[in-house]
Amino acid sequence: MKAIPFLVSFITTGRLHGLGIGSTLSEVDRAFDAGFVDVVDSGGLSLRRDYGFFEFSFNPGPEWVMANCSIELHRLASGPVVGEKWCKSMLVDFPQYLAWDELRDALSRTPEAPAMKVTDQGGFLEYRAAVADVNVSVIVSDDHEERGRSLGHGDVWSVSMWTADPTP
């Protein structure tokens, strides 16, 4: 699958490989077969699992439950190796750079695409689809006019799903 249809599905459904807010850590383990680093805060109140390209945050309970998930597209700019690794693991072909204009155009042709509210985050524009609990961060910093080992102006930094409230 190509990255844009994959991301359009993520943005419109708030689901990533069948996972969504409230999914358990064991469900994430079944969906992702890749190396990761776990960081539990000192009070045991949150867990962050970093797969390098995907990053999850969990809240405690009888089992850890997902509170956030980010696709860290900015990590692809440093070279094609990360994208190739995730293409093999997740069967999604990610480009080294992804322009917001391309993703926005695909969303505009998708009938179920949610309305997105834009806010300025100082160097980024955040496009938030509250109905799907998803946001897209786009770099607009003048320090990033040209693509290189970093993103250029108008490239997607990350796509995330989130919850404002801790899950039970």
Side-chain angles (χ1 to χ4, degrees):
M1 171 180 268
K2 295 288 185 185
I4 289 181
F6 174 80
L7 292 171
V8 166
S9 174
F10 181 52
I11 292 166
T12 58
T13 66
R15 309 288 296 170
L16 176 69
H17 288 295
L19 303 169
I21 301 303
S23 292
T24 64
L25 182 59
S26 59
E27 291 170 324
V28 172
D29 286 339
R30 285 190 296 273
F32 286 84
D33 183 24
F36 59 85
V37 174
D38 278 343
V39 178
V40 178
D41 79 334
S42 61
L45 298 177
S46 69
L47 164 68
R48 184 176 59 83
R49 175 165 287 180
D50 189 344
Y51 287 92
F53 184 55
F54 292 97
E55 191 171 296
F56 296 88
S57 295
F58 298 87
N59 291 327
E63 185 172 0
W64 290 105
V65 293
M66 186 191 313
N68 303 80
C69 171
S70 293
I71 302 172
E72 304 291 338
L73 293 164
H74 61 91
R75 293 183 178 172
L76 296 171
S78 63
V81 174
V82 175
E84 290 167 2
K85 173 186 169 189
W86 280 101
C87 183
K88 289 177 186 171
S89 177
M90 300 307 295
L91 304 176
V92 179
D93 185 16
F94 288 96
Q96 188 172 2
Y97 309 100
L98 180 68
W100 169 237
D101 288 345
E102 293 177 55
L103 182 55
R104 182 176 49 205
D105 180 55
L107 281 165
S108 73
R109 292 181 273 115
T110 305
E112 64 273 7
M116 299 183 94
K117 179 182 175 187
V118 63
T119 56
D120 187 337
Q121 298 293 327
F124 293 89
L125 292 178
E126 181 179 86
Y127 294 84
R128 182 168 283 202
V131 74
D133 295 333
V134 174
N135 65 286
V136 179
S137 295
V138 178
I139 193 159
V140 293
S141 169
D142 290 338
D143 295 340
H144 293 273
E145 284 300 316
E146 307 243 350
R147 289 175 170 168
R149 293 193 59 76
S150 185
L151 301 179
H153 187 88
D155 284 331
V156 177
W157 181 266
S158 65
V159 181
S160 306
M161 68 176 146
W162 47 269
T163 181
D165 301 319
T167 51

